[in-house]
Amino acid sequence: MPPEAPRGYKPLTVSTLPDLLMSLSEIRQRLGGRPETWQVREVGDGNLNLVFLVDGPAGSVCVKQSLPYVRAAGEGWPMPLERTFFEYSYFRIVAPWVGSLIPGILHYESELYCLIMEQLSPHIILRRGLVTGQRYPRCARDIAEYVALTSFYTSDLEQPLEQKMAMVATFSGNSALCRITSDLVFADPYRDAARNRWTTPQLDAIAAEFRGDGALKVAASRFGHKFLSQAQSLIHGDLHTGSIMVTQSDTRVIDPEFAFFGPSGFDIGAFVANLLISYFSQDGHAGPLAPRSEIQAWLLEQIEVFWLHFRSRFAALWRAQASGDAYPATLFGEPAGREALEIERVRVLDEFFADMVGFAATKIIRRILGFAHNIDFEWIADPDRRARCETAALQLARTMLLRPADFTSVADIVAAARHFRGCEGDQLD
Ligand code: SR1
Ligand code: MG
């Protein structure tokens, strides 16, 4: 049984949603016409929520509503409704910095835990585009820009401590979603958990190896500990390729319901993990008339585009403007201070890189051995073929966790990815 919902809350349906939208003058005007003429579709295919698309004669909206349980698991896995409040709060905080890299946020209906946003069209979910072999020239750079802005502006480098702590206090309420990440990413894939699944019997042996590998469990737990204890910046918390919508010329970040103050390396690791997952999965989607080698080379290039842009933008923001309480500007006005601070910036960015590698590894493993899988691998119908792709990804991820000193540049990640895919001899475009 789901937990008792608060008074006033009811899951919306395609028949009840128009009444709500009619009562909101700005939304009513945006859609235009009469509600009978509006086309309402429920399209949610994520793990948690209801998502409706509404089209009227004048315009359209997207409506997202929390359910009191995990949609992908059913009513037996209850989940507090407040996640939409955290999503709304996150969007409100980052909007001034990231501008049109998120959808326009139109209204939050607190009793119904429902958020009304701009409907993005003709955008599609990045992951779906990648599975069909599409490339998106702006995406990696846009996401790097996005993460540089959000992770810098919400950090102690920029925020006075009073404001930062007030924001930390707000997002500390999002413990239910942090619990999901803590369990599903950092613990379950390394233990016997009823929710786990993998391609069986092909991956039975490697799944057992992971559960029995003490060093691997320590390494994954080290990143789990960072996730729980390092309130460096307001992170999206689930920045995989299913949380990004794209066209050839536009990129939008959606679904920040897992937002909280955590390690800055978590979001960048999530994005890189999902580029790598796509890279390994392409072999499962390739056909004699549809080779995937070009997109595979492109995906590896995007890791470099992403990291280099993130690194230079974050450093530039820090150099240009830093009014927070960490590394106070008043300490570093003279040349020796400036020089020492520049060396420290390099150290901090190197630490982000190491965190990106570790978090990326844990995010790859959870999508293959844990509860929530990705269509990148799931849509490979032949289980033997799928298992080969998944095994190569697992081998890379295990190496990233066990041999972090071997990964100090993007070239190291790329070389290792190519090694485990068994294509070292190929020429990169
Ligand atoms: C129970 S929710 C499972 C996963 O879906 C979301 O996208 C998050 O990644 C979460 O871990
Ligand atoms: Mg999501």
Side-chain angles (χ1 to χ4, degrees), residues 46-49 64 236 238 240 242-243 254-255 257-258:
N47 289 318
L48 294 174
N49 308 295
K64 177 172 177 181
H236 176 285
D238 202 24
H240 52 71
S243 296
I254 61 167
D255 267 4
E257 63 202 322
F258 283 78

Side-chain angles (χ1 to χ4, degrees), residues 143-417:
I143 297 300
E145 177 76 14
Y146 179 91
V147 190
L149 291 167
T150 53
S151 55
F152 175 78
Y153 280 117
T154 61
S155 75
D156 290 295
L157 298 172
E158 172 60 12
Q159 294 291 326
L161 72 90
E162 292 80 4
Q163 265 161 252
K164 159 98 182 315
M165 284 183 173
M167 291 192 287
V168 170
T170 299
F171 285 91
S172 297
N174 205 9
S175 56
L177 273 72
C178 291
R179 162 62 62 203
I180 291 181
T181 304
S182 183
D183 287 348
L184 265 53
V185 177
F186 299 108
D188 283 359
Y190 311 92
R191 66 187 175 195
D192 267 317
R195 296 183 289 221
N196 286 344
R197 64 190 176 86
W198 55 79
T199 304
T200 187
Q202 292 84 346
L203 296 190
D204 289 359
I206 197 166
E209 268 176 38
F210 275 42
R211 289 195 303 274
D213 187 335
L216 187 67
K217 289 190 279 191
V218 164
S221 297
R222 186 174 301 138
F223 284 97
H225 186 209
K226 271 180 193 275
F227 172 80
L228 292 171
S229 57
Q230 291 197 349
Q232 286 180 320
S233 52
L234 178 57
I235 61 172
H236 176 285
D238 202 24
L239 193 54
H240 52 71
T241 43
S243 296
I244 297 167
M245 295 191 73
V246 285
T247 66
Q248 289 296 310
S249 57
D250 193 38
T251 311
R252 308 290 185 106
V253 171
I254 61 167
D255 267 4
E257 63 202 322
F258 283 78
F260 86 117
F261 273 80
S264 309
F266 190 74
D267 282 351
I268 56 178
F271 185 66
V272 167
N274 279 264
L275 292 178
L276 288 167
I277 285 172
S278 181
Y279 169 76
F280 285 105
S281 72
Q282 296 293 335
D283 288 321
H285 301 292
L289 298 176
R292 295 293 180 101
S293 49
E294 281 186 12
I295 189 176
Q296 285 177 311
W298 177 83
L299 283 161
L300 295 182
E301 280 166 23
Q302 299 318 294
I303 300 175
E304 177 147 42
V305 169
F306 172 72
W307 168 252
L308 293 183
H309 188 69
F310 169 81
R311 185 184 173 103
S312 73
R313 279 297 280 140
F314 191 96
L317 289 165
W318 188 356
R319 271 183 216 115
Q321 176 188 9
S323 45
D325 285 291
Y327 304 96
T330 45
L331 300 192
F332 301 102
E334 87 299 356
R338 278 199 293 275
E339 200 178 309
L341 185 56
E342 193 53 32
I343 292 168
E344 177 66 357
R345 283 193 187 103
V346 172
R347 192 199 62 76
V348 168
L349 284 157
D350 286 348
E351 209 170 279
F352 283 170
F353 185 87
D355 284 356
M356 177 180 85
V357 170
F359 284 123
T362 60
K363 301 280 268 181
I364 292 171
I365 292 167
R366 63 79 54 107
R367 294 293 183 196
I368 302 172
L369 300 181
F371 167 75
H373 290 219
N374 285 355
I375 60 168
D376 310 60
F377 290 130
E378 294 294 277
W379 283 8
I380 303 171
D382 175 353
D384 288 328
R385 205 172 174 196
R386 185 188 331 126
R388 279 196 296 277
C389 300
E390 291 173 328
T391 301
L394 285 175
Q395 286 169 332
L396 171 67
R398 173 165 54 190
T399 309
M400 285 159 77
L401 279 175
L402 290 178
R403 302 176 63 96
D406 291 355
F407 295 88
T408 57
S409 69
V410 172
D412 295 333
I413 302 174
V414 167

Side-chain angles (χ1 to χ4, degrees), residues 59-70:
S60 60
V61 294
C62 170
V63 181
K64 177 172 177 181
Q65 187 187 32
S66 302
L67 285 167
Y69 53 86
V70 172

Side-chain angles (χ1 to χ4, degrees), residues 3-11 68 79-82 110-113:
E4 188 117 332
R7 274 164 67 88
Y9 172 84
K10 246 188 178 324
M79 191 54 51
L81 295 161
E82 282 75 15
S110 54
E111 269 202 345
L112 289 168
Y113 295 94

